[in-house]
Structures are given as structure tokens and as C-alpha cells.
Amino acid sequence: EVQLVESGGGLVKPGGSLRLSCAASGFIFSDYNINWVRQAPGKGLEWVSSISSTSAHIYYADSLKGRFTISRDNAKNSLYLQMNSLRAEDTAVYYCARVYGSGTYPLDYWGQGTLVTVSS
Amino acid sequence: DIQMTQSPSSLSASVGDRVTITCRASQSISSYLNWYQQKPGKAPKLLIYSASSFQGGVPSRFSGSGSGTDFTLTISSLQPEDFAIYYCQQSYSNLITFGQGTRLEIK
């Protein structure tokens, strides 16, 4: 069974940092691109970042302006999101999602999400 | 970035109704359009990819169509479990984007 489990969320002060993790199981992690998608309370889905299977290709939403860094460790079947200079508007549930490897590359499996709250 | 616009933003319907949700892209995205369903407190679930292909386990009452800039998601006969928020998403660009969502409510 494919599983993605996020962790690392919590309460952080504005300007602070946080590192999210996503642990994958039930599939060959190193074969798949993975994305981070976030959802602010009561709002829609916002794509954050993506990383290819070998980390050769990395993309970020323009709105992040270099504050976030995505990475992965295929030996540990894990994905990470380092978030720096956090702002109140970064408050959201953060999901990791696997990219289905063919067709139009949809996000076929999602984790349950981890909540990040940025507040003083 | 490619902008995705869904309409309507919200919709009230009854069990058994046929409903259609529209998604428009700001430029042509071929068939790189996917649909998701999200229920309260849950992660989104992939329904349809490549504009019209079913994800495994999705009931046949769901269907998708379109290409280029205009796409639709149709539910042929609403069931109680279909009341949720629906999102379209383009994967044509490396910078993927979602529509703002359509909330489907019980009338």
C-alpha cells in the first residue's frame, strides 16, 4: 500500500524556520517525482514545490521567493521541505504528493498533511 | 504562470442531479488537466487525469472532457458522498497550478 506520512509541523514565530519531512512507503520512492502542496485554513490548494526522482529538477512557486528548499534522500525514502523566514501567510496544512509517472503527471497519492502555524 | 479559473465557485444540488463544473486555463494546456475531490479534513483525492481518464476506483458517474483551454467535470447522478470541493489542476507547466475550487453543497 502506498503511504506518504508528513511530519514536522507545529507553531513557529514569524521569521522562524521549520523543516517538514515526508516518509514514503509501499512503492519505489526513487522512481517518482514528489511535490509539496499547501492549503491555508479555509482556502484552496496552492502548489509549493516539486523535485524529480533524482533531484536533478527542482521547481518552486514564484510566491516563495527563495525562502523554501525542497530536498530528498532516496536511501531513506524521505522528502523534506526546509522553510525559512516564515510569515503568517505560510500558515497552512502542508501535503506531500506523489506524481504519477506517465500521462499528464497527476498527483495520485497524497499524505494526510501536517499543519504549520506561524504566529507570535 | 498558467491561471486556472473554475466556475461556479459554489453549487447547490440535490441527490440524483446532473452537475457540471467548468475549468478554464489562461493558455492552452493540451490535455494536461487533472481533477481532484476533497472532503473536509481530508487530503485531496485524484478523480480524473489527462482531462478524461479515470483514476482507479472512481465511480463511472464522474466524467471529464475538454482540451486546450476549456474543460468540464460532470457528475451524472449526484450521490450523498459526492458533496465536497472539487479542484482542477494543470500539469502542462513545471509550475503547476490549481483552480480556486468549486464547493458542491446539498440543496
Side-chain angles (χ1 to χ4, degrees), chain A residues 18-92:
Chain A
L18 211 56
R19 188 194 197 207
L20 305 183
S21 299
C22 170
S25 61
F27 66 102
I28 302 173
F29 182 70
S30 58
D31 283 352
Y32 289 85
N33 299 352
I34 309 288
N35 283 247
W36 285 102
V37 177
R38 69 183 181 183
Q39 186 169 37
K43 302 297 185 182
L45 301 171
E46 180 186 17
W47 173 74
V48 171
S49 181
S50 68
I51 186 167
S52 63
S53 58
T54 62
S55 304
H57 302 284
I58 289 174
Y59 303 96
Y60 298 98
D62 292 340
S63 61
L64 298 179
K65 295 183 180 175
R67 297 183 297 119
F68 290 11
T69 303
I70 192 172
S71 63
R72 65 190 292 163
D73 185 336
N74 286 345
K76 295 182 177 180
N77 291 339
S78 293
L79 172 77
Y80 306 102
L81 186 68
Q82 177 67 42
M83 304 186 296
N84 298 328
S85 303
L86 283 162
R87 306 167 179 168
E89 54 264 36
D90 296 318
T91 294

Side-chain angles (χ1 to χ4, degrees), chain B residues 3-82:
Chain B
Q3 308 302 316
M4 306 300 293
T5 304
Q6 288 180 233
S7 60
S9 295
S10 64
L11 175 60
S12 293
S14 301
V15 172
D17 284 354
R18 178 185 180 92
V19 299
T20 298
I21 298 169
T22 297
C23 180
R24 175 164 288 176
S26 60
Q27 66 179 73
S28 177
I29 57 170
S30 184
S31 295
Y32 285 77
L33 191 283
N34 310 304
W35 290 98
Y36 302 86
Q37 176 193 66
Q38 188 179 32
K39 296 183 179 180
K42 299 294 187 182
K45 172 188 172 183
L46 176 65
L47 292 178
I48 298 225
Y49 62 96
S50 301
S52 60
S53 297
F54 296 102
Q55 176 67 341
V58 173
S60 59
R61 61 181 179 273
F62 289 91
S63 63
S65 65
S67 66
T69 60
D70 295 311
F71 303 86
T72 58
L73 173 70
T74 299
I75 310 173
S76 60
S77 178
L78 275 173
Q79 297 303 299
E81 60 269 28
D82 299 337

